[in-house]
Amino acid sequence: MAQVEASRLVAMPGATVTMRESELMVGGGDRMIDLPVPTFVIEHPKGLVLFDTGCNPAVAVDAKGYWGGIADYLQVKFAPELVVDAQLKAHGYRPEDIRYVVVSHLHLDHAGGLALFPKARFFIMKGELNYAYWPEKRHRSAFKINDLLPTRRFDWVELPGDTDLLEDGSLIMMRTPGHTPGESSLMVRIRGHQPLVLTGDTLHIRPQFNTLQPSEMDYDRAEASESIARLKRIRDLSEARIWVMHDAEDWATYPHLIE
Ligand SMILES: [Zn+2]
């Protein structure tokens, strides 16, 4: 493997949503949990890489108007300065310089900003696009067709499984399905640092590592449990650290700048 070339990772804040623990983890309790919705930008000589795109800019203006009833259900809090392009600018990047977008999955809190990057190449696991355009009724509210329609002519690359995206070990996109058919995680190696796995929504809260329980909303719960177990094995058997993206404690604990 060639030498790792990624040199910097920045974690950017986004919306906050609120859900009951029992919805996030089978067997969970009644307490309500605030979930951060971050995005990440990675500097690489081959171009700037963005992991996930957060909520649609329209959600910052009129959440119920754009999302419908699920906006109240999730108690979403989102301000215009937290939209992913505004965050990129606030961190010194030009949104038009994003060359690659890695998409964990296409739920509304991850795919809302896709259309902001018309010149980028989008990496996604096979099965996700098809499902997002035509989900089963039980999952329909989690996908917003208007997040996707403007991107139909974009440069989408569907991957069949784990892939070394830039061919130097900096970014390994991992197939961790279950939450959705094409859910994925991203292992990031920044030169001189331990690998870090960004989980997407493979799991939502850290206690799932102990219980291996999936969430109520997962597409395939057995598959979701296997994917959580896979990340747990990586955590326990390798030097990698795991950042559970929606976990508030992880957001508070992990450095938001690695370089
Ligand atoms: Zn999510």
Side-chain angles (χ1 to χ4, degrees):
M1 188 182 287
Q3 199 186 342
V4 165
E5 297 288 355
S7 59
R8 193 172 205 248
L9 174 142
V10 180
M12 303 184 292
T16 304
V17 298
T18 303
M19 295 182 78
R20 199 175 296 280
E21 188 184 53
S22 56
E23 293 167 316
L24 297 163
M25 177 175 73
V26 171
D30 274 341
R31 72 188 179 109
M32 301 302 287
I33 299 182
D34 288 338
L35 308 173
V37 184
T39 58
F40 299 83
V41 62
I42 297 134
E43 290 187 19
H44 191 283
K46 289 184 178 167
L48 273 182
V49 182
L50 180 67
F51 183 63
D52 275 353
T53 65
C55 303
N56 193 286
V59 176
V61 180
D62 178 9
K64 203 169 180 181
Y66 188 75
W67 273 4
I70 199 171
D72 288 342
Y73 178 74
L74 292 173
Q75 301 173 43
V76 61
K77 295 176 194 70
F78 196 38
E81 62 268 24
L82 294 174
V83 175
V84 66
D85 58 347
Q87 274 300 306
L88 284 166
K89 287 177 198 160
H91 287 88
Y93 299 104
R94 301 191 320 161
E96 57 271 34
D97 288 343
I98 295 293
R99 177 119 186 248
Y100 304 104
V101 179
V102 181
V103 184
S104 72
H105 65 303
L106 290 170
H107 277 170
L108 77 182
D109 54 327
H110 298 258
L114 296 172
L116 297 169
F117 306 97
K119 291 191 220 155
R121 169 167 293 179
F122 292 77
F123 293 114
I124 193 160
M125 283 296 162
K126 206 166 179 166
E128 186 70 10
L129 276 169
N130 286 0
Y131 191 71
Y133 274 94
W134 210 251
E136 290 172 27
K137 194 172 179 185
R138 64 189 170 119
H139 293 136
R140 220 170 274 161
S141 64
F143 297 97
K144 289 295 154 204
I145 194 71
N146 287 335
D147 289 344
L148 307 173
L149 288 176
T151 75
R152 288 197 75 178
R153 291 175 186 278
F154 285 12
D155 180 9
W156 285 97
V157 177
E158 291 187 277
L159 301 169
D162 292 10
T163 304
D164 183 354
L165 293 178
L166 301 179
E167 311 222 318
D168 66 353
S170 290
L171 298 171
I172 311 287
M173 193 166 173
M174 299 159 56
R175 192 169 161 75
T176 50
H179 179 57
T180 61
E183 173 75 41
S184 64
S185 305
L186 183 68
M187 184 181 282
V188 183
R189 285 194 183 83
I190 303 293
R191 233 174 6 220
H193 293 273
Q194 281 175 273
L196 183 64
V197 178
L198 309 174
T199 58
D201 283 3
T202 306
L203 68 167
H204 292 77
I205 49 174
R206 200 151 264 274
Q208 288 177 276
F209 274 136
N210 300 326
T211 64
L212 300 182
Q213 288 289 354
S215 83
E216 294 284 351
M217 58 202 151
D218 288 340
Y219 168 77
D220 181 326
R221 292 188 190 181
E223 203 170 51
S225 284
E226 280 173 34
S227 291
I228 297 169
R230 181 184 179 196
L231 293 185
K232 186 178 183 180
R233 279 196 303 278
I234 290 171
R235 183 192 72 171
D236 295 343
L237 299 174
S238 79
E239 52 167 357
R241 298 181 296 172
I242 314 284
W243 187 327
V244 180
M245 277 171 56
H246 281 317
D247 188 291
E249 210 177 304
D250 279 17
W251 177 253
T253 309
Y254 278 113
H256 293 184
L257 171 64
I258 300 174
E259 64 181 350

